[in-house]
Amino acid sequence: MTDEHLDRMVRDADPHRPDVITHLDGAAQHLLEEIMSTPTLEPAAEPPAVRSRRRRTVLSGLVSASAAAAVLAVVFAVSIMNADSPAGPEASPQVGPTSEATTATSYSAMVLKAAEESPRLLIDQPGWKATTVYGFAEKEGTIAFRNGEVQLAMNWYPAGQYDGYHRDRLHVSEPEPVKVDGWPGDLFRYSASDFAVMLKPRDGSFVELRTGGALTRNEFDRVLADVVRVDARTWLAALPAEIVTPGRVDEQAAKILAGVPLPPGFDAAALGDLGVNDAYQFGAKVTSRVGCGWIAEWLRAKQAGDDAAAKRAVDALRSSHTWKVLHQMNDEGDWPEVFWETADEVVAGKRPAGYREALGCE
């Protein structure tokens, strides 16, 4: 399984999905602040194995590898109860020190309500590790798991979109009725080793589980048998911890902007409106504003015949090849290459075609 295949898997699960990058504000930001301010849970006895970082597309919605590692430290240290347990599928696990920390953690009513409105599905089977999480506190989101070369993505959407998605999947294959932890749904075959299960709407959303990698039908059935719906506190414990929330914007922005020349009128205080992002997305959005600002200044200076200002803009964009933040991001994704390619056009005296779309300029 290649990283590119993971991109395809998540994308194919919803070819009409809107951009997953969401600028949260108001109640949603407050909710995430509460989640991130919750006392840290006790770490697992064995830390998750170090994983190679996958290349990230420009301004993608996927969380960083470090955030995914934070998920693994909690989710798979917990033994999740099966649906036929006397306590029922919604009960919190009651074994081990990690589950004790989980049940002792205090969440606000707002946080718990958001969790209750999410599908809250996890895999209770050894070897599966969460690698992607995004879209919590919303009606759309994804949790993707990996076990060796095999992937399983759980994508959820508003219940009102179910009929349209289901009609689309009828072009894939005839549906086969299945159940996931008692939740009825339909299985569709993309190939002999590529499956999707669309669960019927529940609590305002529906879930589609999509495989990646070679799985036989029997192997997939065994995985489905161990997909369980958990209580809100267990699901909350699985959320990424390393996210740049509005309360951390000033600190993180200062690190990103160290040694970066700022364009005229750049307002660092306005970065608080970027919402909630993982470290990679935050770095991309901050440097986007810097780059867009310098290009706008260069265009203004060229039109006004202000050679000195135009040179300052060119020098600033040329210096982007030395910005520490872009070099730190370069091992993880393609944003720095896109930024440098656009900057180099200005340095060469060319108006960069499509720079607004490339850099996400407002």
Side-chain angles (χ1 to χ4, degrees), residues 119-280:
R120 307 190 314 275
L121 295 176
L122 298 173
I123 304 177
D124 184 21
Q125 192 179 96
W128 288 93
K129 298 180 178 180
T131 56
T132 298
V133 182
Y134 60 85
F136 58 93
E138 302 169 31
K139 289 296 185 182
E140 296 190 12
T142 289
I143 297 180
F145 299 88
R146 176 193 291 270
N147 187 347
E149 296 300 312
V150 179
Q151 305 280 345
L152 181 63
M154 303 177 183
N155 307 284
W156 67 91
Y157 313 93
Q161 298 180 14
Y162 175 82
D163 290 342
Y165 276 88
H166 195 269
R167 284 194 300 269
D168 179 77
R169 299 307 184 257
L170 292 175
H171 297 291
V172 174
S173 74
E174 289 293 322
E176 303 175 44
V178 295
K179 287 188 177 181
V180 175
D181 198 7
W183 192 341
D186 290 325
L187 183 147
F188 299 93
R189 294 174 178 260
Y190 283 82
S191 72
S193 60
D194 187 359
F195 310 96
V197 169
M198 184 174 293
L199 301 177
K200 295 188 182 300
R202 178 176 181 174
D203 298 334
S205 66
F206 73 94
V207 183
E208 184 175 54
L209 293 79
R210 180 68 192 276
T211 63
L215 273 177
T216 67
R217 174 62 191 272
N218 287 338
E219 290 171 335
F220 185 47
D221 285 343
R222 287 196 293 271
V223 174
L224 288 181
D226 288 326
V227 174
V228 293
R229 192 169 189 243
V230 300
D231 64 276
R233 294 179 186 275
T234 300
W235 192 79
L236 283 168
L239 296 177
E242 297 184 9
I243 292 180
V244 181
T245 59
R248 298 184 61 212
V249 164
D250 291 345
E251 174 190 356
Q252 295 302 313
K255 295 177 181 178
I256 290 171
L257 297 175
V260 174
L262 303 180
F266 185 86
D267 184 7
L271 297 176
D273 67 7
L274 291 178
V276 178
N277 304 275
D278 63 69
Y280 184 94

Side-chain angles (χ1 to χ4, degrees), residues 14 58 60 67 83 85 94 112 124 133 172-173 189 214 226 235 268-269 275 282 295 306 324 354:
D14 178 8
V58 177
S60 71
S85 167
Q94 298 297 322
L112 290 173
D124 184 21
V133 182
V172 174
S173 74
R189 294 174 178 260
D226 288 326
W235 192 79
F282 187 70
I295 293 175
D306 189 343
K324 184 177 179 180

Side-chain angles (χ1 to χ4, degrees), residues 17-49:
R17 182 187 182 103
D19 191 3
V20 296
I21 303 169
T22 307
H23 297 269
L24 301 181
D25 55 17
Q29 286 193 358
H30 177 64
L31 167 61
L32 292 177
E33 285 287 345
E34 291 194 69
I35 292 175
M36 295 309 140
S37 64
T38 300
T40 303
L41 301 179
E42 291 295 324
E46 293 293 332

Side-chain angles (χ1 to χ4, degrees), residues 83-108:
D84 57 358
S85 167
E90 297 296 318
S92 298
Q94 298 297 322
V95 295
T98 302
S99 61
E100 293 174 5
T102 302
T103 56
T105 299
S106 176
Y107 294 103
S108 72

Side-chain angles (χ1 to χ4, degrees), residues 304-359:
D306 189 343
D307 294 339
K311 183 179 185 302
R312 283 193 296 272
V314 166
D315 291 343
L317 291 169
R318 181 186 290 114
S319 75
S320 65
H321 285 277
T322 67
W323 296 355
K324 184 177 179 180
V325 60
L326 294 181
H327 285 279
Q328 289 173 335
M329 297 171 66
N330 201 31
D331 289 339
E332 191 175 351
D334 296 329
W335 170 254
E337 279 87 353
V338 172
F339 190 100
W340 288 327
E341 180 180 354
T342 305
D344 288 346
E345 290 190 55
V346 176
V347 172
K350 304 176 183 176
R351 181 188 177 96
Y355 78 92
R356 290 186 175 277
E357 293 76 13
L359 297 187

